Amino acid sequence: MFSAGEDKKVLCWDLEYNRTIRHYHGHLSGVYSLALHPTLDILCTGGRDAVCRVWDIRTKHEIHVLGGHDGTVGSVLTHGVDPQIVTGSYDSTIKGWDLIAGKPLYTLTHHKKAVRSLVAHPTEFSFMSGAADNMKKWATRDGTFIKNFGGHKAVINALALNEDGVLASCADNGTMQMWDYNSGYCFQKQETIVQPGSLDAEAGFYAATFDKSGSRLLTCEADKTIKIWKEDDEATEETYPIDMEGWRNYCLAPKRR
């Protein structure tokens, strides 16, 4: 297991003995994101020093320093083919990187606010980005813009996506919305509940992911809890009806990129 934090450290843990076995030194400020390469022994980390550092897991050597962002690198994605690394930054840009050359393949400037979260589709070669202004769907290969997911009017701190095409967007004000990844339709909205003794202001999400089955959503929240959300077994088309009129008006409304 790997962990990173505000202390500029990136650590590798032995879970059997509960101790650190490797330290990766190089970041000049807090580390906010990390991702393992799916096929290579490579670790990518991004932080407040505005770069994404690529590490050899075994030797702890720094392979690349991917510079070019003007703000904190808040999210990192990795893929088995180019662009093998995608970074989202608080400077409101997204970059896809050539891992061999260590140079950007494209830069996406559609967002107007800080990009705080990225999530890749498990099977389709596309990804989502989340920011305070909007959520956007992209083709990973060349960075082609596909569509906006509008309506979650908050700072999106975390995105999660499963193989069934269910996208969860989690915000810093404690709101969570569930979306159909293909159509962009929001079929459920809800708010988290803070644990007893916490302030209402501590209702916020910091991280989210689906488990391997795709039926359980795990969230890390501002009230110092980790929550597990399950599907509603009693949900029917009557209890969660589709707002066709609202969806039609949204689809026909003028769009901006």
Side-chain angles (χ1 to χ4, degrees):
M1 185 180 75
F2 295 87
S3 65
E6 285 278 8
D7 57 1
K8 301 181 282 189
K9 293 180 181 179
V10 180
L11 305 178
C12 177
W13 296 81
D14 184 327
L15 296 181
E16 183 178 356
Y17 293 99
N18 193 27
R19 61 186 176 87
T20 58
I21 54 177
R22 291 188 183 92
H23 298 248
Y24 301 86
H25 298 285
H27 277 286
L28 305 178
S29 192
V31 185
Y32 285 7
S33 57
L34 55 81
L36 286 169
H37 195 281
T39 57
L40 304 175
D41 290 332
I42 287 175
L43 173 69
C44 303
T45 58
R48 212 165 58 217
D49 52 4
V51 298
C52 175
R53 298 180 186 270
V54 184
W55 310 86
D56 185 313
I57 292 176
R58 298 185 179 183
T59 65
K60 300 182 290 185
H61 290 162
E62 195 175 75
I63 302 172
H64 284 303
V65 179
L66 306 179
H69 285 296
D70 295 326
T72 298
V73 177
S75 187
V76 180
L77 292 180
T78 56
H79 303 93
V81 296
D82 286 332
Q84 296 188 50
I85 301 173
V86 179
T87 56
S89 173
Y90 289 8
D91 65 2
S92 75
T93 65
I94 300 168
K95 291 180 182 289
W97 299 86
D98 182 337
L99 179 59
I100 297 176
K103 296 180 179 180
L105 295 172
Y106 54 75
T107 301
L108 310 177
T109 59
H110 296 60
H111 279 290
K112 306 304 179 189
K113 301 284 187 176
V115 179
R116 294 176 174 269
S117 181
L118 301 174
V119 65
H121 193 279
T123 55
E124 181 184 308
F125 203 39
S126 63
F127 70 94
M128 287 290 302
S129 60
D133 59 342
N134 226 325
M135 294 187 297
K136 298 180 185 293
K137 182 178 178 180
W138 313 86
T140 308
R141 174 70 67 184
D142 54 4
T144 300
F145 172 78
I146 299 176
K147 68 170 61 178
N148 275 326
F149 285 47
H152 200 165
K153 301 183 184 304
V155 178
I156 308 298
N157 280 339
L159 296 172
L161 179 62
N162 65 13
E163 291 188 359
D164 295 328
V166 176
L167 173 71
S169 60
C170 306
D172 68 342
N173 62 355
T175 60
M176 178 168 61
Q177 297 189 9
M178 311 298 284
W179 309 75
D180 175 50
Y181 184 73
N182 294 321
S183 67
Y185 177 71
C186 177
F187 59 86
Q188 185 176 345
K189 299 179 182 180
Q190 64 188 81
E191 295 186 14
T192 187
I193 301 174
V194 298
Q195 67 172 332
S198 299
L199 302 174
D200 290 339
E202 291 180 317
F205 294 95
Y206 288 149
T209 187
F210 281 100
D211 69 352
K212 293 297 184 182
S213 71
S215 62
R216 298 291 188 272
L217 177 67
L218 289 80
T219 59
C220 300
E221 305 187 16
D223 60 353
K224 305 179 183 67
T225 61
I226 297 175
K227 293 187 175 72
I228 302 176
W229 307 76
K230 71 171 186 176
E231 298 175 346
D232 185 354
D233 297 330
E234 299 179 355
T236 64
E237 294 180 359
E238 287 74 26
T239 58
Y240 293 95
I242 296 177
D243 182 9
M244 291 303 299
E245 183 64 27
W247 178 236
R248 178 178 179 275
N249 294 336
Y250 173 78
C251 292
L252 296 178
K255 298 294 191 300
R256 67 174 182 84
R257 289 194 170 190

